[in-house]
Structures are given as C-alpha cells and as structure tokens.
Amino acid sequence: MISEVSNWSGWKDIVSNNGVVVSVAVTVVAISWSIISRRRNCGKSLPGPRGFPLIGNLLSLEPDLHFYFTKLAKVYGPIYKLQWGMKCCVVLNSPALAKEGLRDQDAKFADRDGPVVGMVLSYGGIDMVWSSSDSEWRKLRKICAHELMSNTNLDSCYSLRRNEVRKMVKDLYSKIETPVDVYGAVFTANLNVIMSILWGGTLVGAEKTSVNAEFRQLFHEIVELSAQPNVSDFFPFLEWFDIQGIDKKAKALLAWMDRIFASIIDQHMKLERTEVQHKESKDFLQFLLELMEKQDPKTQITMTQMKALFMDIAVGGTDTTSATVEWVITEMMQNPDMMKKAQQELEEVVGKNNIVEESHIFKLPYLDAVVRETLRLHPPGAMLVRRCPDSPCTIGGYTIPKGAKVIFNVWGMHMDADAWSNPSEFLPERFLTSTPDNMKKYDYRGNNFNYLPFGSGRRVCVGISLAERMVTYLSATLLHSFDWQLPEGTKLDLTGKFGIVSRKAIPLVAVPTPRFYPEFYE
C-alpha cells in the first residue's frame, strides 16, 4: 500500500528544506486557492480542528496518525474533518460509522484517490489498489481471488512455502546464540514465497536468488520513497513542478521494476511449451500468459496490467505479513507465560520430533488467538487505504462531499473500550471464549466492524487466505523451533511506528536458541 501520509514527521522538513521553492509555489496558487476555498465545501457541518490558511491542518499533524486521529476523536467525536492543503479529509473512528461506509454504502466508497507515488508505481492506477471500482478492476480482482489466492491453488503450491520456511529455520540455526533481526529473517522468507508463487517456475538457482535480491532492494527503496510526504499530493496544482523530485524518483523506480518484470516475462515466454506443461503446478505468471493467449474479453488482461498485479502482490504480500510475525514474537517475549503456553500447544500437536506443517496450524487454537490478538492490537494497516465517494453521501448524519478522502481509523476502532475490555492489553484469551461461533464472529473477512485488520466490503484485502496461512505458519515455526531472548543489556520495546505498514519503531533483535536436537534443523 502506497500512502502519502506515511511519515508526517518529515512534513516540516519539507517546508524548511524547500522554503524558497515552496514559498514561490504557494504564492502562485494563493489567489486561486482563496477563490476556490470559498466555493469548496469540506463537510461544512462536520466538526474538526481549525487550520491555517492554504495549508489547513498539515502542520498540526503528528507522526503516528492512528494515535493522533484517536486523540482527536475524544475531542470532536467519532467523525470529523481535516483540511490537508487543497484536500478535504474525513476521519471515521467508530465501528458503526465503518459499517455505514464499508457495507451500507460500499458502492459509493469503492473508489480511491491515489498519491503521486502510488499512481506512478501502479502504471497510472491500473492495478487493484488504486484503480476505480470499474469492470477492469473487477476482472483483476476476480482473477487474483479465484486463481492465485484460491484455496486450491494455495494448497497446490504448499511445497514452495514449506521449502522457504525450512530455509529460514536453517539460516537461523546457523546463527544460534547470535542476535538476529527477526523482521529481516521473516521478510526474506516471505518475499521468496511470494516470488516463487508468482514466477517460481521461470527462475531457478543463482538466477532466482539474484532476481529476488534485486527485488528486495527495489522494495526497500519504494517503501522509503513512499514514506516521504509529497507537496503535490496536497496541492495537485503543483504536481507539474515536482518540487521535491518525488515524481522523478518514482518513475525511475518504475523503470527499474518494469525491467525486472519484463526480463522475467520474456524468459518465461522463451521456455519450451512442453517444459511448461510438465511442471507440477502453474505459477501465476504462466496462468496469466495463458489468459492473454485465449483473448477472452471476460478474462484477458494486458501486459501492463499483469505487471501492475505483480507489484500489488509482491508489495502487499510481504511487508504486512513480516511486520505481523515480528509483533507476534515481540508479544510472546513480553509475555513469557504466553510463549510457554503456545510452545506447549505446539509440542502437543506437532510433537518434538516433527517440524511444523501448514496442516497443523488449524489445530492450534491458542496460537490462532495470539495471532488474532496481535492483529487487533497491531493491525498492519492501522488505517485502511482511503476511500473516495463518487457522489455526496451521508455518514453518521453528516454530509460528506464528493471526492473527499475518507479515512477509516481501524486502530482506533480496535481500541474502543465499548467493544473490547481492557483494549490496550494483550489478551489472546478474548478470542478463546466458550461461544461456539466466536472465531466466526471475529473472522478476517470484515463481517464484524469491531475487528477489521484486513478491511471490509468489496475492497477487503484480496490476500487474506495467504496472509492467514503465512502469519500463523511462520509464527508457529519460529516458536516451535526456537526459544527467544533479548541480547544481554537490552530491553524490549513495544513502541509502534506508523507507515505504509505499521511496524515496530525499533526492530526486534533477538537471540534464537534451538529447542531440539541438531538433526531437526537440517
């Protein structure tokens, strides 16, 4: 997910570092803005903090927006407005309001208003994340949901996931008694899983390793660029000037990404047809190329759409899962009794002489509760990707203007004391009540608006099935294979950091100690 509100601590730096340029640019638009502002209706009846002329509330924003929005809700109520430059934003902070926007009026809130970086890296907004909710979007989503993310396809490529997870375990075992970056280890394994699913049948050996390493570097540069607030996102009139050079950098990253994708696709298309047909299972690239050959209007996609899909899946499927697993291990280290309980459950289900298999994860209710509670307290998407109503609508009795940026503060909803007892505490047991349908009640599909770690409605995360498997599988493997301790002289930090994906402010560095005999890790 690419967001223009990832690192607000940098907003004031923009003004100071580009003072002259920004001053000239603002002067250019000042007169136009004064006229436009009189005509604009940013939810006139909505409550909200007063802002400055031209820039609105931009200088008042705090780095961790989900905390800031929750704090504002205590002052202005569950719905209020903010002015971000020329952009009108409406923030929703309650499950009831989320239901109105994500279910009752889902069609009206299905469109997006993408930031400059997001639009560039999605080939002009033709992917699943930033495209309008039109027939092309529905086609892409159907292909992705019914083919790549279907249970049948995920089952068929389990061996790919298993191989990468075992490689992670072996690598960690080679570093026993040595501090390791937990997020980094999980990210590498998870990225390799995604790459294998996308085009694993095309690349092998050293070439596969090289491409994956290159994509990892590209990914980190995309995240870094996307975290920079962009003047052009708040004053679209200035996009042509590209004051900070962000548009230029994004286009350079797009060219790099496109070169990687083009090389992989070209190599796949050069493979002998018989070689492709005799593979045990199809990777997603092969499936999409076959759709292109059929030329069926209902399923045919363009080469550019294919690349945009790859971008969505690669970026959306790696950082969120890795960040969540890091939080799981962090919370287990913070609560050693819970870690022991989870490990005991694993030993009872998996055993001491067996490795964790994906088939085990559905027999681990306590670990499942740990994961669900982690996603409640640390949702990777603390705020859903913004919605943009295509016409004026009413939410909570207030009129929201057409084109407003509508933000659903999921973290604030997960901290609602009316919905959750002791919401700031990590309590997996809240998901282990004796109610038979408790897990159904708190599923990941967005049916309960008190619990929306993956969103809801037609724009709900398409990768839920894979994320649910990978988070639990990776967490189970790490807890079953190793004990985890902090390096001597360090303290565990549970501070979160808002961004494209909400992660730990200080990465978890921990020492793994093997729990079983050496042969177990071969």
Side-chain angles (χ1 to χ4, degrees):
M1 179 179 69
I2 309 299
S3 170
E4 82 272 39
V5 291
S6 297
N7 182 13
W8 283 109
S9 60
W11 172 251
K12 295 178 182 178
D13 292 336
I14 293 174
V15 178
S16 60
N17 295 340
N18 301 275
V20 175
V21 178
V22 171
S23 297
V24 172
V26 169
T27 301
V28 171
V29 300
I31 297 177
S32 300
W33 169 247
S34 64
I35 296 174
I36 294 172
S37 62
R38 295 192 187 100
R39 299 177 181 176
R40 290 178 61 86
N41 176 19
C42 184
K44 292 180 68 174
S45 63
L46 281 165
R50 295 186 63 180
F52 294 98
L54 299 179
I55 61 174
N57 304 106
L58 287 176
L59 292 182
S60 303
L61 297 176
E62 298 177 4
D64 294 311
L65 282 184
H66 52 315
F67 298 153
Y68 177 64
F69 287 162
T70 303
K71 183 170 63 177
L72 288 182
K74 296 178 181 179
V75 178
Y76 299 101
I79 179 172
Y80 51 83
K81 66 180 178 181
L82 295 169
Q83 190 73 46
W84 292 352
M86 298 180 70
K87 298 287 186 175
C88 172
C89 300
V90 178
V91 185
L92 307 182
N93 294 271
S94 78
L97 295 174
K99 179 178 179 297
E100 284 191 55
L102 297 175
R103 174 170 293 174
D104 300 344
Q105 302 187 65
D106 188 15
K108 283 190 176 181
F109 283 85
D111 285 343
R112 302 274 170 81
D113 179 20
V116 170
V117 172
M119 296 302 288
V120 170
L121 294 176
S122 61
Y123 295 86
I126 64 170
D127 64 339
M128 287 189 298
V129 176
W130 296 114
S131 63
S132 299
S133 180
D134 55 17
S135 59
E136 288 300 303
W137 173 81
R138 288 191 291 272
K139 180 195 297 183
L140 292 179
R141 186 173 179 93
K142 183 177 180 180
I143 290 172
C144 192
H146 292 182
E147 299 299 334
L148 178 63
M149 298 298 173
S150 69
N151 286 326
T152 300
N153 189 60
L154 291 178
D155 288 343
S156 71
C157 59
Y158 167 56
S159 62
L160 298 174
R161 298 193 293 279
R162 187 180 188 274
N163 290 340
E164 295 301 337
V165 171
R166 293 312 301 167
K167 288 178 183 177
M168 177 190 70
V169 170
K170 291 179 181 179
D171 183 62
L172 289 172
Y173 183 73
S174 70
K175 302 172 182 176
I176 56 174
E177 308 303 334
T178 302
V180 299
D181 175 5
V182 174
Y183 173 87
V186 174
F187 179 88
T188 298
N190 202 40
L191 179 61
N192 289 341
V193 166
I194 296 295
M195 300 297 100
S196 294
I197 293 174
L198 289 179
W199 53 69
T202 304
L203 304 176
V204 295
E207 187 174 23
K208 176 181 177 181
T209 301
S210 175
V211 169
N212 285 9
E214 185 177 9
F215 197 90
R216 191 178 302 117
Q217 178 62 34
L218 171 64
F219 176 90
H220 287 306
E221 294 199 21
I222 288 174
V223 170
E224 182 177 346
L225 183 65
S226 302
Q228 299 180 29
N230 189 353
V231 173
S232 300
D233 288 322
F234 313 113
F235 299 95
F237 178 84
L238 299 177
E239 184 176 348
W240 186 85
F241 298 98
D242 191 21
I243 294 173
Q244 299 158 254
I246 290 179
D247 182 68
K248 180 180 179 180
K249 294 175 183 177
K251 289 176 179 176
L253 291 178
L254 176 66
W256 184 7
M257 179 179 71
D258 191 80
R259 178 178 56 79
I260 295 175
F261 290 159
S263 175
I264 293 169
I265 294 170
D266 181 64
Q267 182 166 336
H268 192 291
M269 295 178 72
K270 290 179 180 177
L271 292 174
E272 292 293 332
R273 184 172 298 274
T274 54
E275 183 180 345
V276 174
Q277 289 176 340
H278 285 85
K279 290 191 301 183
E280 292 182 3
S281 61
K282 296 179 183 178
D283 52 50
F284 197 42
L285 172 55
Q286 181 185 345
F287 171 77
L288 292 178
L289 289 173
E290 290 177 359
L291 284 185
M292 293 177 63
E293 290 180 3
K294 290 179 181 178
Q295 298 186 344
D296 182 348
K298 294 182 180 180
T299 58
Q300 186 178 21
I301 66 173
T302 66
M303 186 69 72
T304 305
Q305 284 177 315
M306 181 193 302
K307 295 174 183 177
L309 266 182
F310 284 169
M311 180 63 182
D312 284 347
I313 296 165
V315 174
T318 50
D319 204 15
T320 52
T321 296
S322 305
T324 302
V325 173
E326 181 185 34
W327 276 118
V328 168
I329 303 303
T330 300
E331 290 290 357
M332 292 294 91
M333 294 178 67
Q334 175 70 9
N335 301 278
D337 290 342
M338 294 182 186
M339 181 185 289
K340 290 180 181 178
K341 188 172 181 178
Q343 289 175 330
Q344 181 179 355
E345 181 183 61
L346 282 160
E347 289 183 14
E348 292 173 355
V349 173
V350 179
K352 296 183 178 181
N353 298 321
N354 301 317
I355 64 173
V356 176
E357 301 286 358
E358 215 171 70
S359 58
H360 291 131
I361 67 177
F362 305 104
K363 304 173 185 177
L364 301 167
Y366 185 74
L367 183 59
D368 180 75
V370 166
V371 170
R372 291 176 192 272
E373 176 69 345
T374 300
L375 287 166
R376 183 195 68 82
L377 198 57
H378 310 287
M383 302 182 306
L384 305 182
V385 180
R386 294 170 312 284
R387 306 296 181 94
C388 185
D390 59 5
S391 61
C393 55
T394 301
I395 295 288
Y398 293 99
T399 298
I400 297 180
K402 173 183 178 181
K405 291 179 180 288
V406 179
I407 297 172
F408 295 86
N409 183 15
V410 167
W411 185 85
M413 298 174 200
H414 287 185
M415 298 299 291
D416 186 349
D418 292 333
W420 305 94
S421 60
N422 302 313
S424 61
E425 296 185 28
F426 186 81
L427 300 172
E429 288 74 16
R430 71 175 83 243
F431 292 99
L432 286 174
T433 65
S434 58
T435 306
D437 63 345
N438 192 53
M439 288 308 175
K440 182 178 180 181
K441 178 181 178 182
Y442 294 112
D443 67 11
Y444 295 130
R445 307 289 167 175
N447 296 311
N448 183 334
F449 290 89
N450 293 323
Y451 188 65
L452 299 173
F454 295 100
S456 183
R458 68 186 63 195
R459 290 280 193 170
V460 69
C461 176
V462 73
I464 292 176
S465 296
L466 179 59
E468 184 176 7
R469 294 184 187 216
M470 285 302 297
V471 169
T472 309
Y473 184 29
L474 286 162
S475 299
T477 298
L478 292 175
L479 291 172
H480 182 252
S481 302
F482 302 100
D483 286 318
W484 295 90
Q485 296 177 330
L486 289 174
E488 186 175 353
T490 63
K491 293 183 179 180
L492 191 63
D493 188 282
L494 275 79
T495 306
K497 178 182 180 181
F498 178 78
I500 298 174
V501 172
S502 296
R503 291 171 49 188
K504 289 182 84 280
I506 300 176
L508 175 62
V509 175
V511 179
T513 302
R515 302 183 68 237
F516 305 114
Y517 51 88
E519 291 78 9
F520 179 89
Y521 301 91
E522 293 179 354

